[in-house]
């Protein structure tokens, strides 16, 4: 978190405000930045997925909210491409949703060239279908637009997991660009809000349902006055009690800090940030490059994804170096997605110059330790 965000967090800790009013104000700001009708600060993108699924299944119906996660008596199936399943879909299932897989993973299986197609989702729809779950990346297929069009023809909503898809900053507008009904982002990744925050943005009524299932609901119906642009009381048959999201509550400090971080993320120059990431990676590369340590700075189009540094170790076991880095002082956790190729990966997202220097120093130390003995 930046100093500005930390200051906002502290200021919020000294103020008093009903959380529903703070969330309603946050909703307006999130709507401005994302082009969505409304938004909610959650306790992480995973919580956004649970709340989003709960909102789609229950809508404004307090009896359904009360029943979750037992959703067998109303539509509760979410159709998802087999190649978009991951450990994060547990968050959707936690609301009571059942995932129905379509398509194949034949590209990874090496047994085919086609990805999941729109018609396969359509063929899986039935009277138990609540909606579609889609995990967004630039390589996701089918295209989200086409899938949303088809789902909307069946009056079914689409819940999108775009947790880690910022930058590019333009993806903030995914809810507006794709007409997906709900989109989840992490607050603790590139937005650099509190680690335990996320965003859910999208349709006003669904955000209201998610909010109702997140907020503390211990109030009197006669006294309870949520801001109408955020939660429309008239659409409720009665006042829901604490919902499935009550265990995912968000503090006023987190709400204020995330909204502050979001405003900074939405307004700062991505090119400046990209250049400083690059400089920090270059500092590391220059310090450790040797005949047995090859560094490659992986660029993306400026302003798009962050650059990264791939370090190929010719003489040392990448897994051993990775373990050694974790065990040293200070412990360093490098990207470990390419260990099988003998590579360490540095993501510069939250590094400043000092941290880059520390990483270079620790890498040098570990590499020296594992230098192969001479015959
Ligand atoms: C990081 C991530 C999440 C979870 O985000 P949190 O904010 O940590 O809850 C969910 N889905 C995907 C694809 C992610 O990358």
């Amino acid at each position: 978190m930046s100093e500005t965000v930390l200051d906002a967090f502290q200021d919020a800790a000294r103020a008093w405000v009903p959380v529903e009013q703070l969330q309603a104000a946050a909703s307006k700001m999130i709507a401005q930045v994302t082009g969505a009708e409304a938004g909610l600060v959650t306790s992480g993108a995973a919580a956004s997925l649970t709340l989003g699924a709960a909102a789609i299944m229950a809508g404004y119906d307090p009896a359904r909210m009360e029943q979750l996660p037992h959703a067998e008596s109303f539509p509760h199936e979410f159709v998802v491409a087999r190649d978009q399943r991951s450990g994060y879909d547990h968050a959707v299932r936690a609301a009571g949703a059942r995932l129905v897989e379509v398509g194949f993973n034949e590209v990874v299986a090496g047994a085919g060239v086609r990805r999941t197609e729109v018609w396969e989702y359509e063929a899986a729809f039935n009277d138990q279908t609540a909606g579609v779950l889609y995990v967004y990346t630039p390589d996701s297929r089918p295209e989200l637009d086409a899938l949303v069009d088809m789902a909307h023809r069946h009056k079914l909503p689409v819940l999108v997991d775009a947790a880690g898809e910022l930058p590019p900053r333009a993806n903030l507008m995914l809810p507006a660009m794709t007409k997906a009904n709900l989109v989840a982002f992490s607050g603790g990744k590139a937005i650099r809000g509190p680690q335990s925050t996320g965003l859910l943005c999208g349709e006003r009524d669904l955000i209201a349902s998610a909010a109702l299932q997140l907020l503390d609901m211990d109030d009197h119906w006669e006294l309870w006055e949520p801001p109408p642009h955020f939660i429309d009381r008239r659409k409720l048959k009665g006042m829901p009690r604490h919902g499935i999201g009550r265990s995912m509550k968000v503090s006023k400090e987190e709400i204020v800090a995330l909204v502050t971080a979001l405003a900074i993320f939405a307004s700062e120059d991505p090119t400046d940030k990209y250049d400083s990431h690059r400089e920090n990676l270059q500092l590391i590369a220059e310090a450790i490059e040797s005949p047995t340590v090859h560094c490659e700075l992986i660029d993306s189009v400026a302003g798009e994804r962050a650059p990264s540094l791939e370090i190929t170790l010719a003489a040392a076991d990448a897994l051993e170096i990775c373990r050694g880095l974790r065990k040293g002082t200070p412990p360093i956790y490098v990207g470990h997605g390419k260990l099988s190729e003998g590579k360490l990966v540095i993501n510069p997202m939250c590094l400043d110059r000092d941290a880059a220097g520390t990483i270079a120093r620790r890498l040098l130390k570990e590499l020296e330790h594992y230098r192969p003995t001479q015959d």
Side-chain angles (χ1 to χ4, degrees):
M1 283 187 268
S2 67
E3 288 302 322
T4 313
V5 172
L6 285 169
D7 287 347
F9 191 100
Q10 287 214 20
D11 289 347
R14 297 192 188 97
W16 299 94
V17 60
V19 174
E20 68 201 22
Q21 287 183 24
L22 190 56
Q23 284 279 22
S27 174
K28 279 191 182 165
M29 186 275 175
I30 296 165
Q32 265 172 19
V33 172
T34 62
E37 287 177 5
L40 184 69
V41 179
T42 67
S43 60
S48 298
L49 293 175
T50 309
L51 290 166
I56 286 171
M57 290 188 288
Y60 260 107
D61 183 342
R64 286 188 178 186
M65 291 179 192
E66 182 61 36
Q67 276 188 58
L68 293 181
H70 301 289
E72 294 76 16
S73 60
F74 44 87
H76 60 281
E77 290 181 1
F78 283 72
V79 183
V80 61
R82 183 165 283 139
D83 69 3
Q84 291 186 10
R85 295 215 52 188
S86 81
Y88 292 117
D89 66 37
H90 204 145
V92 176
R93 290 184 283 126
R98 196 170 83 80
L99 297 182
V100 175
E101 284 185 3
V102 292
F104 289 95
N105 206 356
E106 59 189 18
V107 177
V108 171
V113 295
R114 288 164 63 194
R115 306 285 297 278
T116 312
E117 295 169 2
V118 171
W119 67 267
E120 295 177 287
Y121 289 79
E122 192 167 24
F125 290 170
N126 62 52
D127 59 5
Q128 287 305 308
T129 308
V132 168
L133 171 64
Y134 187 90
V135 183
Y136 183 86
T137 74
D139 303 322
S140 299
R141 294 293 179 278
E143 298 285 354
L144 182 53
D145 288 348
L147 184 59
V148 168
D149 282 347
M150 185 281 291
H152 286 182
R153 279 202 301 280
H154 292 267
K155 301 202 167 14
L156 288 170
V158 179
L159 170 62
V160 176
D161 178 357
E165 297 308 308
L166 301 170
R169 187 170 68 175
N171 277 355
L172 276 176
M173 297 299 285
L174 270 176
M177 284 175 337
T178 65
K179 305 275 191 290
N181 304 72
L182 287 174
V183 179
F185 293 111
S186 274
K189 293 178 179 169
I191 295 175
R192 294 183 65 186
Q195 191 178 6
S196 58
T197 57
L199 288 172
L200 183 65
C201 12
E203 244 169 49
R204 190 180 307 281
D205 282 356
L206 290 174
I207 294 297
S209 175
L212 284 163
Q213 297 181 79
L214 168 66
L215 291 166
D216 189 290
M217 294 303 295
D218 195 16
D219 203 351
H220 281 286
W221 179 248
E222 297 80 358
L223 292 173
W224 183 57
E225 285 183 9
H229 74 85
F230 185 53
I231 293 172
D232 187 350
R233 243 181 78 118
R234 293 168 310 178
K235 293 188 176 168
L236 283 166
K237 279 180 285 196
M239 191 168 179
R241 291 204 170 78
H242 302 315
I244 192 148
R246 181 62 179 77
S247 53
M248 303 162 206
K249 83 171 173 186
V250 188
S251 69
K252 60 189 195 294
E253 296 86 353
E254 289 170 316
I255 297 169
V256 168
L258 177 56
V259 165
T260 307
L262 182 61
I264 295 171
F265 179 81
S267 64
E268 72 191 343
D269 183 350
T271 325
D272 286 352
K273 200 158 45 170
Y274 192 90
D275 291 344
S276 92
H277 287 335
R278 237 177 157 277
E279 279 166 25
N280 289 331
L281 293 178
Q282 257 157 355
L283 184 148
I284 298 172
E286 279 159 23
I288 64 171
E289 195 113 48
S290 81
T292 58
V293 178
H294 175 66
C295 292
E296 191 181 357
L297 212 154
I298 310 292
D299 269 309
S300 75
V301 184
E304 297 280 314
R305 302 182 157 269
S308 66
L309 184 68
E310 295 191 359
I311 305 167
T312 308
L313 305 172
D317 179 347
L319 187 84
E320 282 305 315
I321 298 288
C322 193
R323 184 182 286 127
L325 285 166
R326 290 183 183 198
K327 290 195 167 157
T329 311
I332 310 277
Y333 286 70
V334 294
H336 51 100
K338 296 199 166 185
L339 287 182
S340 61
E341 298 167 43
K343 288 180 182 174
L344 308 176
V345 183
I346 311 282
N347 177 333
M349 206 104 87
C350 294
L351 294 182
D352 59 17
R353 217 179 154 70
D354 285 350
T358 306
I359 290 175
R361 187 164 44 76
R362 290 278 297 107
L363 267 165
L364 270 178
K365 183 108 181 61
E366 289 302 322
L367 290 167
E368 175 187 347
H369 189 60
Y370 286 96
R371 188 167 291 161
T373 47
Q374 313 242 298
D375 292 328

